[in-house]
Amino acid sequence: MTDFFDDIKATWKKADEVITTDQSLTPEVIKQSITSDSISITSRMLRMINSSLIMLLVNALLLLINCSFYLKVPVYLGAISLSALLCLILVHYLFKQMKRLKTLDAKQADLHQVLQDKIDFFNHAFNRAMFAYGFAVMLLPFNVNLYQERANGGFKGLDLLLLVGFYILAFAFSYVLIKMTYSVYLKQLKNALSNLEQSTLVNMEEELKMNRKRNRIIGAIMVLFVLLGGVAYVVFHSSSLSGQTDLPDIEPTREKVLAEWLQVNGVKPVDYITQCFTDHDVVFLGEYHRIKHDVLLVQSLIEPLYRKGIRQLATEFGRREDQALIDSLLSADVWYEDLARKIVFQQFVWWGYQEYVDIYKSAWQLNHSLPDGSVPFSILGINDSPDWSLIRKAADHDDHSVKSRVWRGGGEHMWASVILDAVSAGEKVLVHCGIHHAFTGYRQPIVIDGKFSHFDKSLRCGNHVYSDLGKRAITVFLHSPWSDSTGYGGRALYPAGGIIDALMRKTGTQATGFDLTGGPFGNLDMGNAVYKHGYEHTVLQQFCDGWIYTVPFPEYEGVTPISNWIHLDNIYHARQQSPNPRYRDATTERFNKGITRSANIRKRFRHLK
Amino acid sequence: MKQNEQTERFVDMVSEHQGILHKICHIYCNNSEEKQDMMQEITLQLWSSFPNFQDRSKISTWIYRIALNTAISNIRRSKKHPLVEALFDTDLEIPSRETDPALDEDINTLYQAIARLNDIEKAVIMLYLEEKSYQEIGEITGISEKNVSVKLVRIKKKLKEIIEEIEG
């Protein structure tokens, strides 16, 4: 080793001779260096910003979490605003510091001042950051608690206690770790300042020790964040806490009863609907909207129903005013796609989906195939002709006088009158509409701020028909998610507490229709959905009479948007007849994108397994 | 002392000892632009500390101490913020040690090997090769004499292995 390093020393000396002949550091260059303003102030500023940037990111992340859950709910806006305000204070402070640093007299290379500034900065930034971070962390249990309260009617005592306890511990732990990191940084800065004052330099050994300590603490913080993230994921996704995404376990005896009953009584959806007409005159088929297989089911029902003597399909997706157009379309010798699209467009400018247009086509194809003189299949447009152009601003939707002018005296009693007229004429009618129009015996509750307000006085189409026909009119629900108890715009959850989904998944059942009345499914609890409001004990047979399950939610697809549905020829009408006044000057592209986005069922149901 | 006199004294001192600065920059920098920047930064730091220099230690020891500390701090800073700093650079360079055509093969091998040591190891081995005593090395780096000897054994072993690896 000694010989080896003798050689190395000789090489070093040889290099020394070459390197030290470089006399590039002339007195002029030295003078220029010490009077230059090229001191890396930018670099120093960036280093200073770095630590607070982490805190800002943490806050921004928490802010995003809050926003994603609560953006729609006004009560949380205050909390979100506060968190945003804290971020703004930090940003403001950082900019203020940057401005101050820029004014430092770099020519004097006043490192003493720079270090002193850094210490001040750390002190202030730490206090602000800890306050913001602590506030945000403490906000989480509050949020989770309220969120659960909205979704499931509140925590069971121990859940709440455990969760709050966890977050307090997490906060305390985070605080200690961050405080320790801060102390190490501060100590380094103070050492640097003190050494500068004494004209000695940082003790490298001590620095190494501190670096190791700092790295360990940073590592621990990272682990903590990963843990926090993991726990947050579990909290928001576990069935025991959220009841949102995991299917429930069914008690074995109950599962056996349901499965055995379904095996005997469940039939294919088309057969089920056809059978319903044996004892009933009007069957309301209530859909979620824009689910592809639901609309395809309606298409496939037309011919079998006709063979069984049911020749009337009343639809929400056609206007009473356009009945003559509908009749001419269905009796034409050739298929007029443009006319069919016009009928759908005039009912609602946003409804540019091929499957809904194809319902008319299915009826036309049937009529076209019938022998001469046969009674044709009819589609009855039951919807009103609202004039949405009267809505000038969002608040007009809540203005009773504006609304009455928009609806021009229409209403669901008018929808019902078309159906009742057909029944009076001796016809049986299948009604295809959204589930809320389809309620017959069930009264829909009005929910404000997650609380029951009153039952809808104006009644739904199904209610009007039911009041005239009683049990001759029934509701069949097309399986789809329900809103949670916060309101109709709330988070989508499994209907009936997820029992039906869990059972179908377990038994592998697909595409089946079954009665709720008189069967074990009718006694299932309705869970914590929005539909429970206003009722003391809610079981499924109060909600509807029959149920059609097709496939699990992950297999749901949206209907197909018609490309270029809104174009230059109909853009003016589309703008005028959009319920949302913000679309009064929208482009065709914006409309078409919106139509496509609305049909993204997969995205909407992505949390349902 | 008047400002002009102090400046002249400082310039003389740096000119006289500029070999130390060149060697440190050569060890810690990968290319000529980096060397130039570091040289400027070290000079600046020496200047800012110069009023407090009280001749308590040898001037070369004082220069080594400040120059090494500045170099190490600079290297760590650039490692810590490579992206951020790159944003402010007009030319982005991939840092790799350039072989200096002015130096012969043995010297280049030695510098390549030293480049693979960590910041502190570089400082310690450089001072050893400069034939500084353990006491001086300790004084410059802030490491105790005993620790210097322990560290040197390890660093020398590591350097030998690296050189043997480079030479194949």
Side-chain angles (χ1 to χ4, degrees):
Chain A
M1 185 75 96
T2 314
D3 290 344
F4 180 82
F5 271 91
D6 285 343
D7 289 346
I8 293 293
K9 275 184 183 172
T11 308
W12 180 260
K13 271 189 186 149
K14 206 161 48 167
D16 208 18
E17 287 161 16
V18 179
I19 290 166
T20 52
T21 51
D22 181 357
Q23 293 295 316
S24 58
L25 212 54
T26 60
E28 289 71 33
V29 173
I30 297 169
K31 278 182 189 166
Q32 200 184 350
S33 291
I34 61 177
T35 55
S36 160
D37 59 358
S38 64
I39 184 168
S40 51
I41 288 292
T42 309
S43 166
R44 288 198 174 96
M45 283 194 300
L46 288 170
R47 268 188 290 169
M48 290 167 68
I49 291 163
N50 189 43
S51 60
S52 285
L53 208 58
I54 294 167
M55 292 300 182
L56 275 175
L57 284 174
V58 170
N59 269 283
L61 191 71
L62 291 166
L63 192 65
L64 272 177
I65 293 170
N66 284 338
C67 289
S68 68
F69 283 116
Y70 305 121
L71 202 57
K72 292 177 188 168
V73 188
V75 73
Y76 291 96
L77 287 179
I80 292 167
S81 309
L82 264 176
S83 199
L85 186 69
L86 290 166
C87 285
L88 282 175
I89 290 171
L90 268 177
V91 170
H92 170 76
Y93 182 73
L94 285 169
F95 276 102
K96 209 171 128 189
Q97 287 298 314
M98 280 170 73
K99 205 174 165 188
R100 199 155 72 87
L101 273 174
K102 274 183 186 167
T103 61
L104 263 182
D105 186 0
K107 284 181 183 176
Q108 288 177 9
D110 193 349
L111 287 187
H112 186 280
Q113 184 59 45
V114 170
L115 287 167
Q116 197 64 265
D117 278 353
K118 280 175 87 169
I119 290 169
D120 290 348
F121 173 82
F122 267 92
N123 274 322
H124 288 96
F126 175 79
N127 290 336
R128 281 165 174 76
M130 266 331 291
F131 178 67
Y133 175 72
F135 181 81
V137 170
M138 291 306 286
L139 206 65
L140 272 178
F142 171 74
N143 285 343
V144 172
N145 178 28
L146 288 188
Y147 177 69
Q148 297 307 324
E149 194 174 24
R150 289 197 298 125
N152 295 329
F155 266 155
K156 303 288 174 283
L158 188 64
D159 287 337
L160 181 63
L161 200 68
L162 282 174
L163 206 67
V164 172
F166 169 79
Y167 277 108
I168 289 173
L169 275 177
F171 173 68
F173 187 46
S174 314
Y175 180 87
V176 170
L177 283 176
I178 292 170
K179 179 82 184 166
M180 281 165 74
T181 314
Y182 157 76
S183 305
V184 172
Y185 271 115
L186 197 66
K187 196 174 170 189
Q188 280 180 325
L189 282 172
K190 282 183 175 166
N191 274 349
L193 184 64
S194 138
N195 288 331
L196 193 69
E197 282 162 356
Q198 293 163 23
S199 188
T200 60
L201 288 169
V202 177
N203 180 317
M204 288 187 187
E205 198 164 37
E206 194 186 339
E207 193 187 344
L208 277 175
K209 269 185 203 164
M210 283 204 288
N211 281 346
R212 277 198 294 272
K213 192 175 170 188
R214 188 187 62 194
N215 289 342
R216 275 199 296 271
I217 295 169
I218 290 171
I221 290 175
M222 287 172 77
V223 169
L224 174 79
F225 275 110
V226 170
L227 283 174
L228 270 177
V231 171
Y233 181 84
V234 170
V235 165
F236 286 115
H237 289 85
S238 80
S239 59
S240 62
L241 288 175
S242 72
Q244 301 295 302
T245 56
D246 281 351
L247 289 169
D249 292 326
I250 317 174
E251 194 258 319
T253 322
R254 184 188 223 185
E255 184 187 321
K256 191 166 176 278
V257 170
L258 290 171
E260 284 177 1
W261 185 91
L262 190 66
Q263 205 172 12
V264 176
N265 297 284
V267 290
K268 286 181 180 170
V270 172
D271 296 340
Y272 176 72
I273 298 294
T274 314
Q275 282 173 24
C276 284
F277 281 100
T278 308
D279 301 319
H280 308 286
D281 293 331
V282 179
V283 175
F284 281 90
L285 204 51
E287 68 161 26
Y288 180 93
H289 284 332
R290 301 189 186 91
I291 293 172
K292 194 175 191 171
H293 63 247
D294 288 345
V295 191
L296 294 179
L297 172 68
V298 176
Q299 288 175 27
S300 66
L301 273 165
I302 289 172
E303 192 178 347
L305 285 177
Y306 185 83
R307 302 290 169 218
K308 213 178 169 208
I310 297 109
R311 296 185 293 254
Q312 308 275 340
L313 168 67
T315 181
E316 179 189 352
F317 313 103
R319 302 189 302 176
R320 296 191 299 279
E321 189 182 331
D322 291 332
Q323 192 56 53
L325 277 180
I326 296 171
D327 292 342
S328 66
L329 175 74
L330 299 191
S331 59
D333 290 337
V334 289
W335 171 244
Y336 291 103
E337 176 78 13
D338 286 350
L339 179 57
R341 289 187 179 189
K342 185 182 175 184
I343 289 166
V344 175
F345 177 78
Q346 288 188 161
Q347 189 275 309
F348 192 36
V349 297
W350 280 85
W351 220 249
Y353 305 111
Q354 191 61 51
E355 288 78 1
Y356 285 96
V357 174
D358 287 348
I359 291 176
Y360 288 96
K361 194 173 186 179
S362 299
W364 174 84
Q365 280 171 335
L366 171 69
N367 288 346
H368 198 61
S369 68
L370 294 174
D372 286 345
S374 306
V375 180
F377 186 88
S378 299
I379 292 182
L380 306 173
I382 57 172
N383 216 323
D384 299 309
S385 304
D387 181 4
W388 295 111
S389 67
L390 297 170
I391 300 283
R392 307 276 182 205
K393 53 189 185 299
D396 287 347
H397 282 288
D398 301 322
D399 186 325
H400 188 71
S401 66
V402 176
K403 268 169 76 180
S404 65
R405 279 189 286 131
V406 167
W407 290 100
R408 305 189 219 188
E412 295 199 31
H413 63 286
M414 298 297 290
W415 301 26
S417 67
V418 176
I419 298 161
L420 290 168
D421 284 350
V423 174
S424 303
E427 297 287 346
K428 294 194 174 194
V429 185
L430 174 72
V431 186
H432 178 213
C433 58
I435 181 62
H436 293 169
H437 307 294
F439 294 134
T440 47
Y442 176 77
R443 290 289 305 279
Q444 189 181 358
I446 302 298
V447 178
I448 298 170
D449 291 337
K451 289 190 170 61
F452 172 70
S453 170
H454 59 278
F455 286 111
D456 186 11
K457 293 185 187 76
S458 59
L459 300 182
R460 291 304 197 160
C461 174
N463 298 140
H464 288 293
V465 174
Y466 183 79
S467 67
D468 266 34
L469 302 181
K471 274 293 176 189
R472 284 163 63 201
I474 60 164
T475 305
V476 175
F477 178 63
L478 295 166
H479 187 84
S480 52
W482 287 351
S483 292
D484 67 20
S485 58
T486 57
Y488 292 101
R491 190 170 157 87
L493 44 75
Y494 296 104
I499 297 286
I500 295 175
D501 286 276
L503 180 81
M504 299 301 183
R505 199 70 57 85
K506 215 162 185 185
T507 55
T509 310
Q510 290 209 343
T512 184
F514 51 92
D515 285 333
L516 297 185
T517 315
F521 282 92
N523 294 321
L524 290 178
D525 190 84
M526 281 175 62
N528 287 311
V530 68
Y531 300 122
K532 74 169 187 176
H533 287 293
Y535 296 92
E536 275 187 30
H537 301 289
T538 44
V539 287
L540 221 46
Q541 59 190 334
Q542 290 172 263
F543 180 76
C544 60
D545 305 279
W547 198 281
I548 288 179
Y549 175 90
T550 310
V551 287
F553 287 131
E555 292 175 37
Y556 273 40
E557 283 182 46
V559 287
T560 315
I562 297 170
S563 66
N564 207 24
W565 172 256
I566 303 296
H567 45 76
L568 291 177
D569 293 337
N570 63 14
I571 181 78
Y572 177 76
H573 188 78
R575 284 172 177 167
Q576 292 303 306
Q577 293 307 323
S578 273
N580 188 341
R582 283 186 301 161
Y583 279 83
R584 295 287 178 261
D585 56 355
T587 60
T588 55
E589 195 187 11
R590 192 170 161 214
F591 267 106
N592 291 322
K593 272 188 180 169
I595 289 165
T596 303
R597 199 169 46 243
S598 302
N600 194 346
I601 291 293
R602 272 174 193 265
K603 190 178 175 191
R604 201 176 294 176
F605 297 169
R606 66 185 182 278
H607 60 290
L608 299 172
K609 293 169 187 167
Chain B
M1 196 190 296
K2 285 178 185 171
Q3 182 70 29
N4 279 348
E5 279 176 38
Q6 193 181 21
T7 307
E8 287 307 318
R9 204 182 141 219
F10 178 76
V11 169
D12 289 346
M13 180 198 76
V14 173
S15 299
E16 194 184 331
H17 293 89
Q18 65 175 286
I20 297 174
L21 271 60
H22 283 299
K23 276 184 276 189
I24 290 174
C25 292
H26 208 80
I27 283 182
Y28 283 97
C29 299
N30 292 316
N31 54 52
S32 49
E33 284 78 13
E34 275 184 24
K35 280 178 206 166
Q36 207 179 331
D37 289 348
M38 189 175 282
M39 191 75 87
Q40 195 181 13
E41 184 77 13
I42 292 172
T43 312
L44 202 59
Q45 295 288 6
L46 286 168
W47 173 243
S48 65
S49 305
F50 189 60
N52 298 319
F53 175 60
Q54 291 163 353
D55 295 332
R56 279 187 304 206
S57 57
K58 274 167 68 180
I59 196 153
S60 63
T61 304
W62 179 77
I63 291 175
Y64 267 119
R65 200 190 301 151
I66 290 182
L68 279 172
N69 192 64
T70 308
I72 290 169
S73 303
N74 260 17
I75 292 294
R76 286 178 184 175
R77 193 176 62 208
S78 61
K79 275 181 191 166
K80 205 170 171 184
H81 301 290
L83 272 175
V84 177
E85 295 207 338
L87 289 174
F88 292 88
D89 285 342
T90 46
D91 295 310
L92 295 179
E93 284 188 66
I94 299 166
S96 64
R97 169 158 282 281
E98 289 170 357
T99 51
D100 192 335
L103 305 177
D104 73 16
E105 201 182 335
D106 284 349
I107 300 172
N108 273 326
T109 304
L110 176 61
Y111 273 106
Q112 277 179 42
I114 291 174
R116 284 161 64 174
L117 299 174
N118 71 33
D119 303 337
I120 305 291
E121 289 170 344
K122 276 179 190 167
V124 174
I125 197 73
M126 179 195 165
L127 295 168
Y128 165 76
L129 294 173
E130 287 288 297
E131 298 192 323
K132 300 285 176 202
S133 67
Y134 286 2
Q135 189 194 347
E136 268 182 296
I137 296 175
E139 203 179 323
I140 292 167
T141 59
I143 302 171
S144 67
E145 258 187 80
K146 197 179 163 188
N147 237 336
V148 168
S149 68
V150 174
K151 272 189 190 298
L152 255 177
V153 171
R154 286 194 203 134
I155 297 168
K156 279 157 78 178
K157 189 172 172 247
K158 189 173 170 183
L159 189 68
K160 187 170 183 256
E161 283 168 4
I162 296 171
I163 288 172
E164 284 169 355
E165 189 194 315
I166 292 171
E167 290 175 340

